[in-house]
């Protein structure tokens, strides 16, 4: 097989990638970057991969192009943490250096600790864009060896109705003495996920497809990056659906992250769905992965970015970040998400504000200003038509977040927040996203907002809805204000912290 000119130029070796990062990362100015959201040392980051626990640490890998702040042939970046907030960068883990992956690279996948080794399963994508599932393993959790008989699920084990160029992102798991892999794909009509089974992670048998093939309408996209965890006796399956049509209220992004609560039948591969939800109602959330922490919590991370958008941080030498990891649980059969509790260890300079009422007015609170913050508050929605908070406030700049009484929604509007982030596809709305939520029996909504320089994550009603969004505010836009329009509302339990992770 002939390597492309580019492959020759880059040599596609791990050592070259690591050398490049070592030399160039120290030159990158981190002062304007997110502080408690993981970003790549330099270059391009997309999907989280291989989120796992190994050797007393939590490891996270990601889709990585260290050489440029744009997508190209994929490596696996690597970092580890003990608290999900502060990360230690580790050497690049995988490079596209074998015939089955040296074209488009080492695509997304997952990890499993087994017999003292760390196994990763990923999609090797060759020069013809053929996608096959591969295995690599490590004794120390840092240096990986690719299995000599890769690919372990070759394209020949893909039933013919699925295209060999759309077969990716294996999620490896174990039930009893069997290993299983969920792999994303599509047909002409619709995305799907396939189940494979193995005794040893090396030889795999096709079991079946999870869905009938017409779910989500004729969306024509792959169900990318499947992942699954168990809660309350149910299986919670997550995947990222390319081009999923909106149902009018949800799935407004061009590509959407879906969760299904139900049950996977391991014998047939069928997934019986009780409920389908949108994992995050904001702009920038894709390809989540979860792990079970040592204390039993299910923790999720995800790419805090979206395909086919403008990547406004590229001039600063990097693109992509991960969300602040979230603790997941089910309540009344639906997903609840809370910011990982360890973030509270990094709070500084607490500022509490006495309860106050606003009547058709706006009030800037200078004690809360800043761009690396946690701000939480309740709103007794009173008679106001629209009531909420503005952050990143400067001359003609603000990110607005508000409850709209008539619509019954909480809206995050980044339209007036500095440079508007647009995209390659004509999305219905580049400025605002809304989630449907209701105040509690006393008319109160609760909010927890995290600001981190170029992004915001908003938790509503104790994690009933979450919205992640990147922003590109004006320099020096640091103000925070509260507002009520068309009536009055009461703000309670307003508290802010600075959050800085060094
Ligand atoms: C999802 C995805 C995956 C693929 C990877 C390539 O964001 O398209 O399906 O493995 O990115 O970088």
């Amino acid at each position: 097989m002939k390597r492309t000119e580019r492959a020759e130029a880059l040599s596609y070796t791990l050592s070259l990638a690591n050398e490049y990062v070592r030399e160039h990362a120290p030159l990158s100015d981190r002062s304007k970057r997110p502080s408690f959201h993981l970003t790549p040392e330099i270059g391009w980051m997309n999907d989280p991969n291989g989120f796992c626990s190994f050797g007393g640490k939590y490891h996270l890998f990601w889709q990585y192009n260290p050489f440029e702040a744009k997508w190209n042939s994929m490596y696996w970046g690597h970092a580890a943490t003990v608290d999900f907030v502060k990360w230690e960068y580790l050497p690049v883990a995988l490079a596209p250096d074998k015939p089955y992956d040296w074209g488009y690279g080492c695509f997304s996948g997952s990890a499993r600790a087994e017999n003292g080794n760390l196994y990763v399963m990923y999609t090797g994508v060759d020069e013809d864009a053929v996608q096959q599932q591969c295995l690599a393993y490590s004794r120390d959790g840092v240096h990986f060896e690719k299995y000599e008989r890769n690919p372990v699920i070759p394209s020949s084990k893909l039933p013919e109705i699925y295209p060999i160029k759309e077969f990716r992102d294996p999620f490896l798991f174990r039930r009893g003495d069997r290993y299983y892999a969920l792999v994303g794909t599509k047909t002409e009509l619709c995305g799907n996920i396939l189940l494979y089974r193995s005794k040893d992670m090396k030889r795999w048998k096709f079991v079946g497809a999870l869905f009938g093939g017409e779910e989500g309408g004729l969306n024509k996209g792959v169900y990318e990056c499947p992942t699954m965890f168990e809660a309350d006796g149910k299986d919670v399956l997550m995947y990222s659906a390319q081009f999923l049509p909106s149902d009018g209220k949800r799935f407004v992004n061009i590509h959407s992250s879906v969760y299904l609560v139900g049950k996977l039948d391991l014998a047939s591969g069928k997934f019986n769905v009780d409920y389908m939800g949108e994992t995050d109602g904001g702009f920038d959330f894709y390809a989540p992965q979860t792990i079970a922490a040592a204390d039993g919590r299910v923790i999720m991370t995800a790419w805090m970015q979206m395909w086919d958008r403008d990547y406004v941080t590229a001039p600063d030498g990097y693109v992509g970040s991960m969300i602040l990891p979230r603790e997941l649980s089910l309540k009344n059969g639906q997903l609840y998400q809370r910011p990982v509790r360890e973030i509270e260890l990094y709070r500084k300079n607490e500022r509490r504000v006495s309860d106050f009422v606003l009547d058709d007015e706006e009030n800037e609170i200078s004690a809360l200003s800043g761009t690396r913050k946690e701000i939480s508050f309740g709103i007794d929605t009173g008679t106001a038509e629209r009531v909420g908070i503005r952050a990143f406030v400067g001359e003609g700049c603000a990110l607005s977040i508000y409850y709209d009484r008539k619509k019954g929604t909480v809206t995050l509007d980044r339209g007036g927040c500095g440079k508007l982030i647009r995209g390659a596809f004509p999305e219905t709305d580049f400025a605002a996203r809304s989630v449907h939520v209701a105040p509690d029996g006393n008319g109160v909504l609760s909010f927890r907002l995290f600001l981190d320089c170029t992004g915001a994550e908003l938790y509503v009603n104790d994690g009933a809805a979450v919205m992640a969004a990147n922003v590109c505010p004006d320099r020096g836009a640091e103000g925070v204000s509260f507002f009520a329009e068309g009536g009055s509302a009461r703000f309670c339990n307003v508290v802010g912290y600075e959050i800085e992770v060094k």
Side-chain angles (χ1 to χ4, degrees), residues 370-395:
T371 58
R372 289 177 171 141
K373 309 276 312 184
E374 173 186 353
I375 301 171
S376 53
F377 54 98
I379 302 179
D380 180 343
T381 52
T383 59
E385 288 299 315
R386 282 182 170 191
V387 51
I389 185 171
R390 290 193 227 283
F392 299 111
V393 177
E395 271 296 308

Side-chain angles (χ1 to χ4, degrees), residues 44 46-47 63 71 74 106-109 123 168-169 222 224-225 242 286-287 303 307:
W44 166 276
N46 62 283
D47 316 352
Q63 290 287 279
W71 194 90
M74 284 286 105
C106 304
F107 273 24
S108 285
T123 304
R168 57 182 176 266
D169 312 336
V222 172
E224 299 185 310
C225 302
Q242 295 180 303
Y286 205 70
W303 187 38
W307 289 110

Side-chain angles (χ1 to χ4, degrees), residues 52-59 80-83 294:
C52 68
S53 168
F54 185 76
K57 288 186 179 167
Y58 299 109
H59 290 254
T81 184
V82 290
D83 65 6

Side-chain angles (χ1 to χ4, degrees), residues 388-407:
I389 185 171
R390 290 193 227 283
F392 299 111
V393 177
E395 271 296 308
C397 176
L399 169 69
S400 301
I401 291 164
Y402 57 85
Y403 174 66
D404 185 311
R405 166 187 309 285
K406 269 203 209 100
K407 294 187 179 147

Side-chain angles (χ1 to χ4, degrees), residues 452-500:
D452 201 3
C453 292
T454 57
E457 283 183 87
L458 175 72
Y459 292 78
V460 189
N461 286 358
D462 214 14
V466 193
M467 306 172 92
N470 291 323
V471 289
C472 189
D474 294 345
R475 252 196 124 76
E478 296 193 349
V480 170
S481 65
F482 294 86
F483 67 97
E485 290 171 10
S488 74
R490 183 183 179 80
F491 293 79
C492 47
N493 304 322
V494 181
V495 55
Y497 303 90
E498 273 157 37
I499 298 201
E500 181 117 34

